[in-house]
Amino acid sequence: MVTSTTPKLDHRPSRSDDRQPRRVGLSQRLGRWDVKISPYLYISPFFILFAIVGLFPLGYTAFVSMHKWHLIGGQGEFVGLENFTYVLQQPNFWKGLRNTFSIFLLSSVPQVFIAIVIAAVLDANLRAKTFWRMGVLLPFIVAPVAVSLIFGKLFASDSGMINSILGSVGIDAIRWHADVLASHVAIASMVNFRWIGYNTLIFLAAMQAVPRDLYEAAILDGANRLRQFFSVTVPMLRPTIIFVVVTSTIGGLQIFDEPRLFDQAGQGGADRQWMTVTMYLYEVGWGAQKSFGRAAAVAWILFLIIIVLALINFSLTRRIASDGAPKTGKKKKR
């Protein structure tokens, strides 16, 4: 008798089905969190410090500018944009704005050109390079008070050394403390004296980063030193020049020490001929008015002006960078 046997199917779950889902241990979770969170923790001190010393004062100044806030009486009633309207209607504010831009242009523009030239000289093969490079930075170390006192005596209208030199060559004495343009030139000379050396070292560091192969190729092509400077050095310094221009713009619009100490009164001249915006801010907040609300409004107006100029610099930076970048075009497929 023949019997047929059919294989029985085993419906038992396999070993893989018997395994339970593996639980992630606490140490592994901590390791994953460490990878994800640690980079943010490392950079958090900068943002925390920036929020404390940067964003909070900025926001608090905006809050103060919306109130009648007296130096002695403290916070008053909410006035909205009344402080801004008052400031924009004052002639001294517009004088300060004019003087600020005038001194800024007379100092920052020559400052960049002179710093590049001095950096090119220091980049050459000179004896005692370290001595000359340290000597260029010495004016930056001198306190602004000392610089202002020295230059105030040099540019004195009656007994100043500058007028004595001009008189020896037959030029009439210049009223450095009375004429608007003359006072701006004198203050700009103080700013240039302090900051040219600082910017020179920045340009010198950028020049030393330029590949020497470019200069060797220019020499083989027959370019002299002047041609190398304009064809190799200046184009390679384009990002550094933009950086120096931006920082000089921000610092030039906030100038305070040099014009404040140009004379003994510290009021910006009898007719406010060299009073800057920051000096007007100080006068409104700590002068006769003692109005912190109006002073905060001046600070915010100056901040908005700096933002506008920063955006203009940013757009010019992108345009200059796009013009200097090599243009590559894709060929159309036939």
Side-chain angles (χ1 to χ4, degrees), residues 129-300:
K129 290 183 179 180
T130 305
F131 171 77
W132 293 112
R133 292 172 183 176
M134 292 179 61
V136 168
L137 194 60
L138 284 179
F140 179 73
I141 303 174
V142 180
V145 176
V147 175
S148 301
L149 291 176
I150 294 172
F151 275 78
K153 297 298 182 181
L154 290 175
F155 288 98
S157 300
D158 298 329
S159 59
M161 184 181 297
I162 304 298
N163 278 338
S164 299
I165 296 174
L166 295 176
S168 62
V169 296
I171 301 176
D172 295 336
I174 300 175
R175 300 185 303 171
W176 298 105
H177 288 76
D179 296 338
V180 176
L181 182 59
S183 61
H184 294 180
V185 171
I187 296 173
S189 64
M190 303 183 204
V191 179
N192 291 332
F193 175 77
R194 291 193 62 238
W195 289 96
I196 283 178
Y198 176 81
N199 291 327
T200 298
L201 291 185
I202 294 178
F203 286 125
L204 179 60
M207 288 181 184
Q208 291 179 344
V210 176
R212 297 300 165 181
D213 298 341
L214 299 177
Y215 293 104
E216 294 177 359
I219 293 173
L220 293 176
D221 291 338
N224 54 18
R225 288 186 176 273
L226 187 61
R227 184 65 177 176
Q228 294 174 29
F229 176 76
F230 286 104
S231 299
V232 178
T233 305
V234 174
M236 296 299 293
L237 291 179
R238 183 176 299 166
T240 308
I241 293 174
I242 295 171
F243 169 77
V244 172
V245 168
V246 172
T247 54
S248 299
T249 301
I250 297 174
L253 295 178
Q254 297 176 349
I255 184 172
F256 178 79
D257 296 335
E258 290 82 359
R260 172 75 177 177
L261 299 171
F262 188 53
D263 64 349
Q264 296 180 356
Q267 300 295 326
D271 195 28
R272 302 296 191 270
Q273 58 265 27
W274 70 79
M275 181 188 67
T276 60
V277 176
T278 52
M279 291 180 63
Y280 177 73
L281 185 154
Y282 181 84
E283 181 180 338
V284 171
W286 286 268
Q289 300 184 29
K290 293 182 175 57
S291 176
F292 272 14
R294 294 172 181 175
V298 177
W300 255 91

Side-chain angles (χ1 to χ4, degrees), residues 238 321-329:
R238 183 176 299 166
S322 61
D323 292 341
K327 297 179 180 180
T328 57

Side-chain angles (χ1 to χ4, degrees), residues 299-310:
W300 255 91
I301 293 173
L302 180 61
F303 171 73
L304 295 177
I305 293 173
I306 294 175
I307 291 295
V308 171
L309 292 179

Side-chain angles (χ1 to χ4, degrees), residues 107-119:
S107 59
S108 297
V109 175
Q111 188 180 126
V112 174
F113 289 101
I114 297 174
I116 293 176
V117 173
I118 297 177

